[in-house]
Amino acid sequence: MGKLTIIYITIAAITALLLALFQYLYKSKLKSNLKYVLTALRTISIFGILLLLINPKFESYTYFDEKPTLVVAVDNSESVSYLKHDEKAKKVVNALQNNSELKDRFNIQAYSFGKSVNTLDTLNFKERQSNLALALKQFGEVYANQTAPIVILSDGNQTYGSDYSYIAKGIKQPIYPIILGDSTVYSDLSIKQLNVNRYVYLKNKFPVEIFANYSGNETINTELKIWSGNSVVFRKTLQFNALKSSEIISTALMANSVGVKTYRVELVALDNEKNKVNNVKNFGVEVIDQKTNIALVYDRLHPDLGTLKKAIESNEQRSVSIIKPKDLITKINDFQLVILYQPNNDFNSLLKEIKEQKINTFIISGATTNWNLLNQTQEYFKQTITNQTESYQPTLNRNYGTFIVEHLDFNSFPPLKSEFGALQMLVPHETLLYKNVNGITTEDILLATFEADATKHAILNGEDIWRWRAQSFLNTNSFNGFDEFINKLVQYLSSNKKRKRINIDYRSFYNGNDDVIISAQYFNKNFEFDTSASLSIVLKNKDDDSVREIPLLLNNGNYTVDLSGVNAGLYDFTIKHNSESVTASGSFQILEYNVEQQFLNADIIKLKSIAETSKGTAFFPTQIDEMISTLISDNRFKTIQKSTKNIVPLIDWKYLLGLIALSLFIEWFIRKYNGLI
């Protein structure tokens, strides 16, 4: 309580006493000692009411001890077991969790990590990827405001995510790596990296770039071979020594037939080489017959043009030509899709030609679109013309079923500038994105697709889509999500295939450590998305003719199945409805490759580096007792006494209300009993 509050309380006490004395002592006819009792009761009542009006606040403190947290994170990836340190890791974890001094000093929180981070339950060392950077980033965020040293049990060989040595620089907690792996350096050849395009064209040569590495001190000779089936299509002799530890080999191979073609790169192993798994790497390419040509027609320059070209051409199967309307008319038949960016009067002749030739279109409108022209030259939609613009954010229609939409975070995307007013569709259509204004989703169309007169069309009612691609990168550190969304839209518009009741989304081939996820959408006879369907996939391994059937699960609007972990090989699959004769088929190939088996040693240098940067210390499993002593004796990890300050206003004290009521009741009863009322 402050001094002013104490003064108010003193004044209230004096006022209450004076009022009581005035009533029962000054000019009072009472002669007995009863008047003193009534004076006291009236004083209590008035003083209590005045206290409630003043409402003083009382402070109380609760003291408690807070122990620091000890984060123990174990690398649960295959590389630990491959380096034969899985049992050592389990023993170290048990020693940390069961040490009585550590338990008295710390709150121990144990986790395991592979591609993701999980609370430690059991260790099986079967994770196909290891993302130490993600684990460090999450620990740094969760324990940012605590004292929480981080113990990492890992070989330091990360196969997924950002560089963890960079992430460690932003973490305020000291890091104590326990290095799992052999520190002895052996002579070893490895294929560190292989670069090749995913798609190539028939009768064309495609480049292959290979990074070959050598660790050792002796001068050695080896040979690099590229196999296609049982045939060697490329070979080169290589020489390495202590000064020359790597070489980049570039070549070009011919694509002779259409389909998925697999190759094997091999470095001939040394006689005494310990790890030969990393001497071989498989890769695949999909040979396609032709390229999809797309015309991006414009009359004014805008950042959207470069964004669309970059996104569409991220798929090597497609080529985008940015062209003026008058230049396209004479060669319009060279393109499978025409994107009309903000049509104006210069598009008049082109729009008539498109209608006559029945060309698929994607119309993008904006602030400079001539809606009078568009309304007059086609019968598919009409836009209310207000000559005013408005900014609209997108909201995904989760019932959209023309093709599978990956779940981009559309809610975070910036608004697009569009004509103010409703867009009225005059033909059957499907809305992909609705307009959202100030957080309220409207029924107005932002992006829709439709089919009419044996052609396919889409309309995006807004400009500045370049902001979406930039936001997608900020959200995921990659343009892939946005680019895939645009490419699926382009794939639908540039194809004249009939619509199917089951749409499937998959890739022709997967690398050995990729997530093999197949998605599907199922529609009823009215082509409405069915969320209650029972779908399953029949998977056949063409190498051994084994067949397995797996149910698909509904997940975020799509039916999906995760086939990660399936053995390498060529597979045919059929997705079927379990009670109707509706199916969709495909095939894919999984290339044999295990990134977790590419390492021969622990990355000791990098683990020691993050320990030094964070003011921690690196240890080996044999030094576990020394590490425990270091943690216990470190003064940075002392138990901290903290207090909680509670401020309680007097009005919340129910006993005062009871006291006021009781004093008033007793006073009334005495006066009534003695005939003073």
Side-chain angles (χ1 to χ4, degrees), residues 592-606:
E592 187 172 357
Y593 178 67
N594 190 329
V595 68
E596 291 291 333
Q597 294 183 2
Q598 303 301 305
F599 307 104
L600 186 62
N601 299 97
D603 196 336
I604 299 174
I605 295 176
K606 189 177 284 189

Side-chain angles (χ1 to χ4, degrees), residues 502-613:
I502 294 182
N503 291 334
I504 51 178
D505 184 27
Y506 68 100
R507 300 201 322 232
S508 299
F509 67 91
Y510 300 85
N511 292 316
N513 281 80
D514 289 347
D515 291 331
V516 184
I517 297 176
I518 297 177
S519 301
Q521 288 182 323
Y522 173 76
F523 305 94
N524 60 24
K525 293 180 180 179
N526 295 325
F527 283 96
E528 298 170 336
F529 183 73
D530 190 346
T531 59
S532 60
S534 175
L535 302 180
S536 60
I537 181 171
V538 179
L539 189 67
K540 180 181 180 181
N541 188 328
K542 295 183 70 174
D543 297 329
D544 58 14
D545 291 329
S546 61
V547 178
R548 56 190 297 195
E549 184 170 338
I550 307 169
L552 274 71
L553 302 177
L554 185 63
N555 183 20
N556 292 327
N558 295 327
Y559 291 93
T560 62
V561 60
D562 188 350
L563 301 177
S564 303
V566 172
N567 294 332
L570 185 61
Y571 292 88
D572 289 335
F573 71 90
T574 299
I575 294 179
K576 64 176 185 176
H577 192 282
N578 292 330
S579 58
E580 295 186 30
S581 57
V582 181
T583 62
S585 301
S587 62
F588 63 87
Q589 186 166 3
I590 300 177
L591 305 180
E592 187 172 357
Y593 178 67
N594 190 329
V595 68
E596 291 291 333
Q597 294 183 2
Q598 303 301 305
F599 307 104
L600 186 62
N601 299 97
D603 196 336
I604 299 174
I605 295 176
K606 189 177 284 189
L607 289 174
K608 285 186 175 181
S609 173
I610 67 171
E612 182 179 349
T613 301

Side-chain angles (χ1 to χ4, degrees), residues 37 55 100 102 133 143 197 202 212 214-215 228 237 296 303 306 321 380 438 460 463 470 516 566 580 599 660 677:
V37 176
N55 193 24
S100 58
L102 275 182
Y143 300 102
N197 293 332
L202 185 64
Y214 168 69
S215 60
S228 176
T237 301
L296 178 52
S321 300
Y380 306 141
N438 296 325
L460 174 63
E463 65 176 270
V516 184
V566 172
E580 295 186 30
F599 307 104
I660 294 171
I677 297 178

Side-chain angles (χ1 to χ4, degrees), residues 250-316:
S250 299
T251 185
L253 304 179
M254 177 65 73
N256 293 314
S257 58
V258 175
V260 176
K261 306 299 174 185
T262 59
Y263 298 85
R264 186 176 81 256
V265 181
E266 177 189 6
L267 274 174
V268 177
L270 305 175
D271 293 337
N272 59 343
E273 193 166 354
K274 187 175 180 181
N275 184 7
K276 299 180 181 180
V277 175
N278 57 8
N279 290 38
V280 178
K281 196 165 189 177
N282 297 291
F283 71 94
V285 295
E286 185 172 355
V287 182
I288 55 180
D289 195 338
Q290 60 183 356
K291 213 172 205 179
T292 301
N293 294 314
I294 298 160
L296 178 52
V297 190
Y298 76 103
D299 188 57
R300 73 177 181 102
L301 292 174
H302 194 281
D304 286 352
L305 301 174
T307 293
L308 289 167
K309 180 177 175 66
K310 195 74 175 178
I312 296 170
E313 289 188 343
S314 65
N315 185 330
E316 294 99 343

